[in-house]
Amino acid sequence: MTHDFYARFLFPLVAMTVQSLAVPWLAGETNRLPPGWPDLALLEDPVARFDILAQAMITPYLERARSGTRDQNGGYRLWVEQRAQAFFQQRRAWMQRLGLEPVLPDLTYAPPGSWALHVSFTLRQPYLSRDDQMFHLLDNPLKKERVFKVPYVAASSWKGALRSAMRQLRGYTTLDDEAKDTQMVRLFGNVRAAESDFVAGRLTFFPTFFDKVSLEVINPHDRTTGVGARGPILLECVPQGAQGDLFVLYVPFGPFGQSDDDRRAEIADDLHAVAEGVRAMLTVYGFGAKTSSGFGTVEEQLAGEGKLVIHAKLAGETTPTVAPSAPQPSELARYLESPTRLHPDLRREDGTLKSEAEYQRFIESQGRKYGKSDKQLYDKAKKWWEQGGQTQAQQTPTPAPEPAPPEPSPVTTFTFRTLSELGDVAQRVASQLKEGGAS
């Protein structure tokens, strides 16, 4: 299907004059459709237009399509500078309406000791990544979500970045070092995911979406001559100051220690280690590409209130839990308890319809007068009974009382404003867990 799309709009094969006029139209610089290529009118989405414009990489119009002319910005660069943010904000709004952006999960019925972390961060240095798109005008475009085309950090990228940060904190130099660390295997799974002995980790990561992009310019120099090797290179990035949200979920499945104390200690140690690793990843080691050059780090001060929620009753802000309400039956006639069963006021203990005299005595025993509305209700019940209700009632066994829903366990919330505070909160929660706080 992808190849069919490109084959329908073969930019390199149209006349050179058409190519020169198609570049500004595909880049959104003009609304004038290039003459001689009417099919371009089918391309209404900016992403689809730039997919076709990417074919300019094998034509003389590559630089024009990338960044315009020497005298005026244009092409993809102009779109990034002037229109990209509004485009990405609209796409994220669609995702939010569809419930596709991550939020803190409800841990009410998660296994005891489960916890989730939300860190709302601000980039201190730009974030770089590499997309796997087939064609692009840039040598290094940002990785974008496959459907909505917004820049993002994939869940797998977060897992790899945190794993790498924790590995460096522990001074590991080989994968074998990590494989011997039971906590690392417990958190992230096997180092080598062999099918024969694959172990899943307890941590689950979620993607982070952005609505800002910019272009970084680098000019690699030859180490011998000191001269630019190939000229400036444009790198697409999420710029400094952009905000994002990191979500991590921990579910303590798998084998535990021999006692509840060991189990709580294990959860506490994992929480403390992950909090320490998250701070190191975000502020020291970075995430994404070119982290050794300082890219992909964030500010110590959070963009918003960070949260740690844990399925345990601890000395924090306990979230009130409400047991799920029983499903409401569809609208029934007043004389029925269920579609095949009379209301208790109108039936005998064996489930049959009371006589009118019995029903009247029941009403009067309630201190009420047997009036016109009571008689009308009884007549309707009698009619239902005689027209098939009796048969339905006899064929339907008396329902057993429904068991009460399980009592939800408490979920405790802790907040923090800086990444240093996250470490303090994690230490405090870990101490409470080891003292027997988990429920």
Side-chain angles (χ1 to χ4, degrees):
M1 180 64 78
T2 302
H3 293 85
D4 292 343
F5 171 69
Y6 287 111
R8 175 70 183 275
F9 302 96
L10 286 171
F11 184 94
L13 298 186
V14 299
M16 296 285 286
T17 55
V18 177
Q19 289 182 21
S20 65
L21 295 173
V23 169
W25 187 87
L26 289 169
E29 300 172 29
T30 178
N31 293 324
R32 293 181 57 187
L33 194 68
W37 203 355
D39 283 358
L40 284 185
L42 299 173
L43 302 175
E44 299 180 358
D45 185 76
V47 173
R49 293 185 180 188
F50 280 114
D51 283 345
I52 298 306
L53 189 55
Q55 298 178 63
M57 66 176 64
I58 57 172
T59 73
Y61 295 101
L62 173 59
E63 291 305 320
R64 170 68 180 87
R66 275 180 174 171
S67 54
T69 65
R70 182 172 297 179
D71 300 325
Q72 185 176 1
N73 281 352
Y76 188 72
R77 185 171 193 165
L78 182 67
W79 183 81
V80 166
E81 293 175 349
Q82 297 186 1
R83 301 182 178 88
Q85 183 171 347
F87 173 80
F88 294 135
Q89 287 175 343
Q90 181 191 54
R91 293 297 175 95
R92 288 194 64 187
W94 294 352
M95 296 172 66
Q96 289 163 4
R97 287 200 294 269
L98 293 169
L100 298 179
E101 290 212 3
V103 295
L104 273 174
D106 182 3
L107 301 182
T108 303
Y109 292 102
S114 299
W115 51 262
L117 179 66
H118 173 210
V119 177
S120 182
F121 60 82
T122 302
L123 286 174
R124 185 172 73 235
Q125 294 295 332
Y127 163 71
L128 300 175
S129 62
R130 180 62 185 267
D131 201 4
D132 52 6
Q133 188 171 340
M134 185 177 298
F135 300 115
H136 200 279
L137 287 168
L138 304 180
D139 295 328
N140 200 95
L142 275 169
K143 186 174 183 64
K144 298 182 178 68
E145 195 277 333
R146 187 175 182 85
V147 176
F148 294 91
K149 300 299 182 181
V150 298
Y152 82 123
V153 184
S156 57
S157 297
W158 279 126
K159 179 179 180 179
L162 181 58
R163 190 173 201 158
S164 175
M166 293 180 65
R167 186 185 298 129
Q168 293 180 76
L169 281 175
R170 298 173 185 222
Y172 295 157
T173 56
T174 67
L175 293 179
D176 289 336
D177 293 335
E178 181 183 341
K180 298 173 184 176
D181 188 327
T182 57
Q183 185 179 59
M184 291 289 286
V185 174
R186 187 168 66 240
L187 291 172
F188 298 100
N190 290 36
V191 176
R192 297 182 179 89
E195 293 184 4
S196 59
D197 59 352
F198 174 71
V199 176
R202 294 181 179 179
L203 291 177
T204 299
F205 297 83
F206 301 85
T208 296
F209 300 99
F210 299 101
D211 52 26
K212 293 181 180 180
V213 296
S214 66
L215 297 175
E216 290 282 320
V217 181
I218 62 172
N219 188 13
H221 287 64
D222 186 278
R223 293 186 177 182
T224 304
T225 64
V227 178
R230 50 165 290 186
I233 298 175
L234 292 177
L235 299 178
E236 191 175 30
C237 66
V238 179
Q240 175 184 359
Q243 296 179 355
D245 295 279
L246 167 63
F247 292 91
V248 182
L249 171 66
Y250 172 92
V251 179
F253 59 82
F256 293 104
Q258 297 298 315
S259 67
D260 288 343
D261 289 342
D262 291 338
R263 173 179 174 275
R264 287 192 295 267
E266 197 170 77
I267 295 171
D269 290 342
D270 289 348
L271 172 59
H272 183 264
V274 170
E276 184 181 46
V278 166
R279 183 172 185 271
M281 171 187 69
L282 294 177
T283 61
V284 179
Y285 300 113
F287 57 97
K290 295 188 177 295
T291 53
S292 60
S293 299
F295 288 93
T297 55
V298 312
E299 300 287 355
E300 168 72 22
Q301 183 74 32
L302 300 184
E305 187 176 68
K307 288 187 177 181
L308 170 65
V309 294
I310 183 167
H311 183 155
K313 188 174 183 180
L314 303 175
E317 179 184 340
T318 302
T319 304
T321 55
V322 180
S325 57
Q328 298 298 314
S330 57
E331 193 68 29
L332 291 172
R334 287 177 53 211
Y335 53 83
L336 294 178
E337 181 184 55
S338 74
T340 60
R341 189 170 175 84
L342 286 166
H343 192 277
D345 294 353
L346 289 158
R347 70 171 187 260
R348 302 188 181 104
E349 292 184 1
D350 61 0
T352 59
L353 177 66
K354 293 179 179 179
S355 66
E356 185 174 1
E358 289 175 311
Y359 181 56
Q360 181 176 348
R361 287 195 297 271
F362 170 78
I363 294 296
E364 292 172 346
S365 70
Q366 303 296 310
R368 295 155 43 200
K369 183 178 180 181
Y370 188 72
K372 182 178 179 180
S373 60
D374 298 309
K375 178 170 176 54
Q376 289 175 341
L377 182 65
Y378 181 83
D379 289 342
K380 290 178 181 178
K382 183 178 181 181
K383 183 177 180 180
W384 175 85
W385 182 260
E386 293 175 346
Q387 292 184 351
Q390 179 178 4
T391 302
Q392 294 183 49
Q394 292 173 344
Q395 293 176 347
T396 304
T398 302
E402 295 186 2
E407 185 68 23
S409 299
V411 174
T412 309
T413 301
F414 299 86
T415 60
F416 49 93
R417 284 287 183 178
T418 68
L419 289 169
S420 295
E421 287 182 16
L422 166 60
D424 296 338
V425 167
Q427 181 63 55
R428 189 166 72 250
V429 173
S431 297
Q432 291 187 52
L433 287 171
K434 290 181 178 180
E435 292 169 2
S439 60

